[in-house]
Amino acid sequence: KEQLEKSPRLRFDQQYFKLGQIEKGKPVTTELTVKNTGKTDLKINNISSGCQCVYYRISKSTIAPKDSATLELIYKPYVIGN
């Protein structure tokens, strides 16, 4: 329990977001704020998704306690699904 209390904690400024109308082949982006509400540095080394159509950029990969970073998610639709 002591280790858990000292660990970093990830918090997003929003849980859901709408991408709006999506056209095949046109990337859609959204930005989220990632905050570290824990007591030690939060290190983001990789973000993955269930498809190979989501990419990301983050303003900084190490987020100090009480600090935040901007996470940009890029969705690149190549095939229109059902």
Side-chain angles (χ1 to χ4, degrees), residues 9-15 17 30-37 42 44 57-60 63 66-73:
R9 293 185 183 203
L10 176 70
R11 175 137 338 197
F12 293 101
D13 65 334
Q14 56 187 324
Q15 292 180 349
F17 49 88
T30 190
E31 287 187 355
L32 307 165
T33 299
V34 179
K35 185 170 184 173
N36 179 4
T37 60
L42 172 66
I44 299 176
R57 282 185 274 233
I58 191 155
S59 60
K60 51 187 159 186
I63 306 169
K66 299 182 182 176
D67 199 5
S68 60
T70 300
L71 172 64
E72 180 182 19
L73 296 175

Side-chain angles (χ1 to χ4, degrees), residues 16-24 26-30 75 77 80:
Y16 304 97
F17 49 88
K18 293 184 180 185
L19 297 177
Q21 182 91 13
I22 298 174
E23 296 180 37
K24 181 181 176 185
K26 292 193 175 185
V28 179
T29 63
T30 190
Y75 173 61
I80 297 176

